[in-house]
Amino acid sequence: MADKQISLPAKLINGGIAGLIGVTCVFPIDLAKTRLQNQQNGSRLYTSMSDCLIKTIRSEGYFGMYRGAAVNLTLVTPEKAIKLAANDFFRQHLSKDGKLTLVKEMLAGCGAGTCQVIVTTPMEMLKIQLQDAGRIGCLAGSTAAVAVNPVDVIKTRLQSLNRASTEDTYSGVTDCIRKIMRNEGPSAFLKGAYCRALVIAPLFGIAQVIYFLGVGEFILSFMPKKHD
């Protein structure tokens, strides 16, 4: 299965299905991650992921855990399409005789990821605003996930537009890092790391299962084939 060439339509179907299932399964954890990361000293409402989810259900109901999910569910397939198409484009232009070195594999992945980020950043900002709305109202693979969590904390803080009167505002990445270090200490960069690890691992596993089962190829097999 690993050596089998998968067509772009099949990749898009696989990616879309994996994304929809993944978002549905792990979105409450992602919401808890966002709210925990946005907490600052003096405005702490949640003590842990479970505490955040329990308080969210109590104050906003069960579907409060899926605040902002519609954005992800709507755009997850176009997001996968962009990433997969870009990855194929870069792989094709970097390959020599159909072969890619490890460095070129990484470059292709970086290029695809860059294209994805450029397009999906507005979606991320909207999702974070919706996820964090409840917190503002109440106030008035896993190793890699933890490793990049400080960057994710900075991203969440910068993208969050709504701030309580006692919370810091940031003018840029450097300003954000400096204020977090000064006011909250280094440990603040690991806020939501546990939630992030719980989000990333299942998403990767779900994607691998969908691709391994060949769901996209199975669906396409029912479509009429074009004859020359």
Side-chain angles (χ1 to χ4, degrees):
M1 182 71 182
D3 298 328
K4 183 179 177 182
Q5 293 294 319
I6 304 176
S7 66
L8 182 58
K11 286 183 179 180
L12 298 182
I13 294 173
N14 286 336
I17 293 174
L20 291 172
I21 295 173
V23 169
T24 303
C25 292
V26 305
F27 197 85
I29 302 174
D30 187 61
L31 178 137
K33 173 189 74 71
T34 297
R35 293 188 175 183
L36 287 169
Q37 287 180 341
N38 258 335
Q39 289 191 135
Q40 299 183 24
N41 290 343
S43 60
R44 292 178 61 83
L45 180 62
Y46 312 111
T47 58
S48 64
M49 179 186 72
S50 58
D51 180 58
C52 178
L53 293 176
I54 290 171
K55 287 180 178 177
T56 298
I57 293 174
R58 285 177 179 172
S59 62
E60 304 171 50
Y62 175 80
F63 290 104
M65 294 191 299
Y66 287 89
R67 185 187 291 270
V71 179
N72 274 26
L73 290 172
T74 302
L75 298 178
V76 66
T77 300
E79 173 192 347
K80 297 296 181 185
I82 293 165
K83 186 175 182 179
L84 291 169
N87 188 58
D88 282 351
F89 173 82
F90 287 116
R91 287 174 64 90
Q92 180 181 350
H93 283 75
L94 291 172
S95 64
K96 185 177 181 181
D97 299 326
K99 296 180 180 179
L100 281 174
T101 63
L102 178 59
V103 173
K104 289 184 176 180
E105 288 268 12
M106 294 173 64
L107 287 174
C110 288
T114 300
C115 293
Q116 179 189 21
V117 167
I118 291 172
V119 175
T120 59
T121 293
M123 176 191 76
E124 275 287 305
M125 290 189 67
L126 178 57
K127 183 199 73 171
I128 287 173
Q129 303 317 308
L130 292 171
Q131 284 181 331
D132 203 40
R135 183 188 72 91
I136 297 297
C138 290
L139 286 174
S142 296
T143 303
V146 174
V148 301
N149 199 75
V151 179
D152 194 56
V153 170
I154 296 168
K155 174 185 73 72
T156 300
R157 292 284 181 93
L158 290 174
Q159 290 182 335
S160 183
L161 301 178
N162 297 317
R163 290 287 174 204
S165 58
T166 58
E167 294 181 329
D168 289 328
T169 56
Y170 312 105
S171 60
V173 173
T174 304
D175 181 56
C176 182
I177 294 172
R178 185 175 64 253
K179 286 182 178 177
I180 291 175
M181 284 290 292
R182 183 183 64 203
N183 300 330
E184 303 173 60
S187 61
F189 290 104
L190 292 178
K191 285 183 177 180
Y194 177 64
C195 298
R196 182 173 172 78
L198 290 179
V199 168
I200 297 298
L203 284 177
F204 182 76
I206 291 168
Q208 290 298 307
V209 170
I210 295 296
Y211 276 89
F212 179 79
L213 293 177
V215 176
E217 297 91 312
F218 177 74
I219 294 174
L220 289 174
S221 67
F222 290 97
M223 298 180 66
K225 296 181 179 179
K226 294 181 179 180
H227 297 283
D228 295 332

